[in-house]
Amino acid sequence: MTSQRRRAFRRGLTLSAALIGIIAVPAHAQAADDAVAEGEIVVTANKRTQALKDVGVTAAVLGAQQLTERKIVSLADIAATVPGLSYSSSENNTPVFTLRGVGFNEASLAAYPTVSVYTDEAPLPFPVLSAQGAFDLDRIEVLKGPQGTLFGQNSTGGAINYIAAKPTDTLSAGADLSYGRFNMVEANGFVSGPLGEQLKFRLAGHYLHADDWQRSYTRKDSLGESEVYAVRGLLDWEPADTVRFSLMLNAWQDKSDPQAGQLVAVYPQIAAAAYPEVVNYPYPPQNARAADWSNGTTVSPTGSILDPRPRSNRKFQQAVLRGDIDLTDQVTLTSLSSYLHFRQRQSQDYDGTASNNDDIPFNDGTIKSVFQELRLSNGGRSSIRWVLGANYQRSRIRENDGISYSTGSTSNAGLNFIIQNGYRSNTLRRDYAFFGNAEVDVAPGLTLKAGARYTNSLTGVNLCNTDLGDGRTAALISGLSALLTGGPAPVVRPGIDCVTLNSSFQVGQPFIDSLKQHNTSWRFGVDYKLNRDVLLYANVSRGYKAGSYPTISASSEAQYIPVTQESVTAYEAGAKLTTADRTFTTNVAAFYYDYRNKQIRGKTLDPIFGVLNALINVPKSRLYGAEIEAGVRPFHGLALGASVTYVNSKVQRYTGTNVLGVQQDFAGSSIPFSPKWQAQVDGEYRWDMGGVTPFVGAVLNVRAKTIAYIGGSDLTIPASPVNSMAPGVTRPFAIKGYETVDLRAGAEWGQWKAMIWGKNVFDTYYWQNVISAFDTVYRLAGRPASYGVTVGYKF
């Protein structure tokens, strides 16, 4: 078959799958297992359980059946299921969420997100903490738009809530086992039931293993093994009718390999000092599996491995205690306490080649965080519903990193042959807040809403660049200090003292600083219930994300300047229609965001090492768009659904350094990771065959093009004898649009369920991020086609 015929055949299959989806798949959150309280889809957007159709917010809810049948087990899976939500990994193997164009592409452990994540209202305050945990869930709620009044700062884009499956009144248990491509083995199980009249428990576990999925295109090697263990325990105790306690313990370990990048371009910092092995490095073929990474052969003068094979070991433990005491028939006091501990030990390839151009031999760190919230709220049946509360959070984050670049152009440019250095950070983040929210029914069907939260935040840092023991970085920085100050060269002890120049060009002391800020988030809105089936709503709100310091390799303190807090003022209006028999539902919303001081990981031009990372505030941006979601059940067993999100983003004022080290006016550029169009067609058909219920389903996901850096849609690599781009690449920082198709088919009978499934079944090649490294640019590709079989049993 010719390549042209193969392309035509694939287009035909994709169109066929789309048509199958249009006639055979449910809308978001329409599956039967999502039913809670007489079949209604519920959400806790207002810190209490409500029917989704009665809440004047834009939200997507993924129920237990959807999570299971569509094999939603990762952050990437969640983002692929919710239009408007984008996911990408990063150079430090840290997840990045962007919702409706609001995101923070920062890889350090201490970076607060713009899309906050919670498990049963307990915060996971840093993105890396949310990497696992999507198992044994009742549902996942994705709330869109600023959620600052009830969910706090750092939710300028929205909030994602994992709602764990709860202990049952009767003994029940279940398990499922999956086997798929790359020798993937996944096992899930739970047991739940009473331990007495007042005590119930639930214990759930998750295991995942898969062999390497990436292949080196220059040697016989592979990478990408997955290894995850997770467990969750819940204990519910009700000593009296008015007193309830719930204890949740979460733990997981993730030993999966960090993803290797695909080389896209070579752009040496210092052209005259470029190493031939980097300049002449071959480019990979255009498929998801082809990549390259360091092989652990380069040794430093001190004997350490400069370019280790990428590896990771992350461990997480969390304890959450919730207490609810009914003070009266209408008023409840709630206490929520949480403690978590996280540790990682990992190394990454940071250049997309097997050369030691830019590698991270160690990227180690810990997070310890405590959280306490107290709130009072009244019952949902009152005509005035209110919540008053306060919370406190304190986190300590330590990160210790090394960077090596023996074939980096700056190491061959007369800089005393520096080939490695380290950098470390010790960060304290403390926040306390007071908040209130109220809903008042002022007339039949008409509800006014208002809320506010005052937040006081403190970030304190101790940052330092270090010599890793060979003395080369120490000698260079000491000499520079003497040259710039006109005094004697200071003594810098290799491997011990800081080698970061301060504002007076002195060396040897860490950068110690603090950032104190406060803000008031607010929200006003109106809901109008035209009738029991139609809800109209309008909201205006403002949310904030706290400022922060970078964790980067810095030659001077100028790179440690923090970014200030950002804010989003959002205007949104929408409508929800649900027929009485639920055969048709539709949700429509339009929004406009005024985005101030957006935080980005940008670039700065360092006089010693060239283009380096820095945190930057973009003074003014705007986004506007619309969403529509519809589902229909034309007859028994058949459910159809579709959703479309449109986002138009623009930087209105910002001039800075682009990824090539050139000053640029970025006004008019779109915001990274904000594709204009995202769409999904999904659903399912079930029929009864006398005790056996077969089902088939399909999902079509569509994402338009976007960019990884501000200005990236137009940037290209200048032509020169040492610069190059991969064949067919003209704009290396662009992320092309793509379509993927997922399919499933199975049957249920009695307590058994079996299913065959495929994700990205046509093996579409796409990528989620582009990283501008030292002398190279590389992509992080989306996963290739995967498929398998799942068998489950419940009693």
Side-chain angles (χ1 to χ4, degrees), residues 79 82-86 98-101 144 627 645 647 673 678 703:
V82 179
L85 181 63
S86 298
T98 303
L99 189 52
R100 289 178 170 175
K144 302 180 182 182
E627 297 185 352
T645 298
V647 176
F673 304 105
Q678 299 181 59
R703 303 271 168 141

Side-chain angles (χ1 to χ4, degrees), residues 672-753:
F673 304 105
S674 60
K676 278 192 175 181
W677 293 100
Q678 299 181 59
Q680 184 176 101
V681 178
D682 66 287
E684 189 171 85
Y685 179 63
R686 292 173 176 263
W687 63 98
D688 190 357
M689 298 181 61
V692 178
T693 305
F695 61 89
V696 294
V699 181
L700 170 66
N701 287 299
V702 180
R703 303 271 168 141
K705 64 182 180 180
T706 184
I707 55 175
Y709 293 91
I710 287 182
S713 59
D714 300 320
L715 290 179
T716 189
I717 302 296
S720 84
V722 296
N723 296 345
S724 65
M725 291 185 289
V729 174
T730 56
R731 293 176 174 82
F733 305 104
I735 300 175
K736 71 172 185 177
Y738 61 91
E739 306 86 33
T740 63
V741 174
D742 300 346
L743 300 173
R744 65 185 183 273
E748 299 176 358
W749 65 99
Q751 296 161 313
W752 289 91
K753 184 174 184 177

Side-chain angles (χ1 to χ4, degrees), residues 565-568 594-598 618-621 653:
Q565 60 188 357
E566 71 177 31
S567 69
V568 173
D594 182 1
Y595 206 168
R596 301 298 178 99
N597 290 318
K598 173 178 171 55
V618 176
K620 183 172 173 56
S621 310
R653 188 172 70 251

Side-chain angles (χ1 to χ4, degrees), residues 14-78:
T14 301
L15 178 59
S16 298
L19 292 174
I20 291 171
I22 292 174
I23 65 172
V25 194
H28 284 308
Q30 295 302 311
D33 280 0
D34 293 341
V36 178
E38 300 182 356
E40 295 285 6
I41 310 306
V42 299
V43 70
T44 55
N46 293 317
K47 292 291 181 80
R48 68 178 190 274
T49 302
Q50 297 174 273
L52 177 60
K53 68 182 184 66
D54 295 329
V55 181
V57 298
T58 304
V61 179
L62 308 175
Q65 182 169 311
Q66 282 180 294
L67 298 174
T68 300
E69 292 187 356
R70 293 175 58 172
K71 303 298 293 181
I72 299 174
V73 297
S74 68
L75 297 173
D77 294 336
I78 297 170

Side-chain angles (χ1 to χ4, degrees), residues 429-440:
R429 309 208 71 154
R430 185 273 299 151
D431 306 289
Y432 64 82
F434 304 95
F435 61 91
N437 193 75
E439 303 168 65
V440 182

Side-chain angles (χ1 to χ4, degrees), residues 459-790:
T459 301
V461 295
N462 184 317
L463 307 173
C464 183
N465 233 45
T466 62
D467 181 296
L468 290 182
D470 61 7
R472 299 182 179 199
T473 308
L476 172 66
I477 300 298
S478 176
L480 283 174
S481 176
L483 178 66
L484 294 171
T485 62
V491 176
V492 183
R493 295 169 295 174
I496 299 175
D497 292 331
C498 292
V499 294
T500 307
L501 293 174
N502 63 21
S503 58
S504 301
F505 305 112
Q506 301 296 321
V507 65
Q509 297 296 319
F511 175 77
I512 299 175
D513 197 26
S514 62
L515 178 66
K516 299 179 181 179
Q517 295 188 300
H518 61 91
N519 59 70
T520 301
S521 301
W522 48 263
R523 177 173 176 258
F524 298 98
V526 57
D527 292 351
Y528 181 59
K529 212 49 166 152
L530 191 63
N531 53 53
R532 61 177 297 176
D533 300 326
V534 180
L535 172 69
L536 307 178
Y537 66 91
N539 301 310
V540 56
S541 60
R542 177 174 295 169
Y544 290 86
K545 178 191 176 300
S548 62
Y549 294 83
T551 300
I552 55 176
S553 177
S555 62
S556 71
E557 288 185 358
Q559 288 177 253
Y560 290 145
I561 296 173
V563 285
T564 190
Q565 60 188 357
E566 71 177 31
S567 69
V568 173
T569 304
Y571 306 86
E572 181 167 353
K576 297 183 178 185
L577 168 65
T578 304
T579 58
D581 57 2
R582 300 191 186 92
T583 58
F584 178 75
T585 63
T586 185
N587 304 316
V588 182
F591 58 89
Y592 179 90
Y593 291 172
D594 182 1
Y595 206 168
R596 301 298 178 99
N597 290 318
K598 173 178 171 55
Q599 301 169 9
I600 63 168
R601 171 168 275 209
K603 298 292 182 177
T604 185
L605 190 60
D606 183 83
I608 303 173
F609 294 101
V611 183
L612 296 179
N613 290 323
L615 291 185
I616 305 293
N617 282 116
V618 176
K620 183 172 173 56
S621 310
R622 66 101 178 107
L623 303 104
Y624 65 80
E627 297 185 352
I628 182 169
E629 180 183 68
V632 61
R633 296 176 179 271
F635 54 84
H636 180 71
L638 177 63
L640 319 175
S643 56
V644 178
T645 298
Y646 171 77
V647 176
N648 186 299
S649 66
K650 185 197 297 190
V651 173
Q652 295 175 297
R653 188 172 70 251
Y654 169 52
T655 299
T657 303
N658 66 25
V659 293
L660 303 180
V662 179
Q663 282 291 108
Q664 180 179 344
D665 182 356
F666 292 98
S669 173
S670 60
I671 292 175
F673 304 105
S674 60
K676 278 192 175 181
W677 293 100
Q678 299 181 59
Q680 184 176 101
V681 178
D682 66 287
E684 189 171 85
Y685 179 63
R686 292 173 176 263
W687 63 98
D688 190 357
M689 298 181 61
V692 178
T693 305
F695 61 89
V696 294
V699 181
L700 170 66
N701 287 299
V702 180
R703 303 271 168 141
K705 64 182 180 180
T706 184
I707 55 175
Y709 293 91
I710 287 182
S713 59
D714 300 320
L715 290 179
T716 189
I717 302 296
S720 84
V722 296
N723 296 345
S724 65
M725 291 185 289
V729 174
T730 56
R731 293 176 174 82
F733 305 104
I735 300 175
K736 71 172 185 177
Y738 61 91
E739 306 86 33
T740 63
V741 174
D742 300 346
L743 300 173
R744 65 185 183 273
E748 299 176 358
W749 65 99
Q751 296 161 313
W752 289 91
K753 184 174 184 177
M755 177 178 66
I756 57 174
W757 49 268
K759 301 170 72 170
N760 188 15
V761 294
F762 299 126
D763 206 19
T764 299
Y765 171 57
Y766 65 98
W767 56 94
Q768 298 171 323
N769 202 350
V770 181
I771 309 295
S772 175
F774 209 53
D775 294 328
T776 65
V777 180
Y778 65 91
R779 294 170 176 165
L780 293 177
R783 294 292 292 257
S786 60
Y787 40 80
V789 59
T790 300

Side-chain angles (χ1 to χ4, degrees), residues 88-319:
S88 68
S89 187
S90 64
E91 61 270 31
N92 280 2
N93 195 27
T94 302
V96 177
F97 274 129
T98 303
L99 189 52
R100 289 178 170 175
V102 180
F104 186 35
N105 187 24
E106 165 62 11
S108 61
L109 291 181
Y112 277 148
T114 58
V115 181
S116 53
V117 181
Y118 300 80
T119 300
D120 282 1
E121 299 186 15
L124 300 172
F126 303 98
V128 71
L129 305 177
S130 61
Q132 302 297 330
F135 69 99
D136 195 46
L137 298 178
D138 179 70
R139 63 188 184 278
I140 296 175
E141 305 171 356
V142 181
L143 310 178
K144 302 180 182 182
Q147 305 294 320
T149 55
L150 285 175
F151 289 92
Q153 66 172 351
N154 311 319
S155 57
T156 46
I160 299 174
N161 298 324
Y162 292 166
I163 309 298
K166 299 300 184 289
T168 52
D169 294 325
T170 59
L171 181 63
S172 62
D176 63 70
L177 180 66
S178 300
Y179 179 78
R181 191 182 184 191
F182 307 117
N183 287 322
M184 185 277 292
V185 176
E186 180 188 359
N188 296 279
F190 78 93
V191 59
S192 176
L195 293 175
E197 292 185 2
Q198 301 172 331
L199 195 63
K200 297 182 293 185
F201 82 101
R202 188 181 185 99
L203 182 64
H206 167 75
Y207 169 74
L208 173 66
H209 171 83
D211 291 344
D212 297 335
W213 67 275
Q214 293 190 288
R215 299 179 298 197
S216 170
Y217 62 95
T218 63
R219 64 187 191 275
K220 188 176 181 180
D221 198 3
S222 60
L223 186 75
E225 181 181 15
S226 297
E227 191 80 22
V228 178
Y229 309 84
V231 63
R232 178 181 296 120
L234 295 100
L235 199 63
D236 286 357
W237 180 42
E238 191 170 346
D241 292 342
T242 58
V243 180
R244 300 168 298 281
F245 292 99
S246 177
L247 174 66
M248 178 172 63
L249 302 176
N250 292 306
W252 53 260
Q253 182 177 16
D254 185 354
K255 300 172 68 175
S256 305
D257 293 338
Q259 184 175 343
Q262 299 180 317
L263 185 65
V264 176
V266 174
Y267 182 59
Q269 299 274 354
I270 302 176
Y275 279 82
E277 66 184 88
V278 177
V279 172
N280 299 322
Y281 207 88
Y283 287 103
Q286 298 294 294
N287 69 71
R289 300 188 65 185
D292 228 343
W293 55 90
S294 296
N295 55 21
T297 60
T298 308
V299 181
S300 77
T302 59
S304 61
I305 300 296
L306 291 177
D307 61 345
R309 177 185 174 89
R311 48 91 186 165
S312 181
N313 189 357
R314 288 170 162 171
K315 297 180 180 179
F316 170 83
Q317 300 92 33
Q318 181 189 38

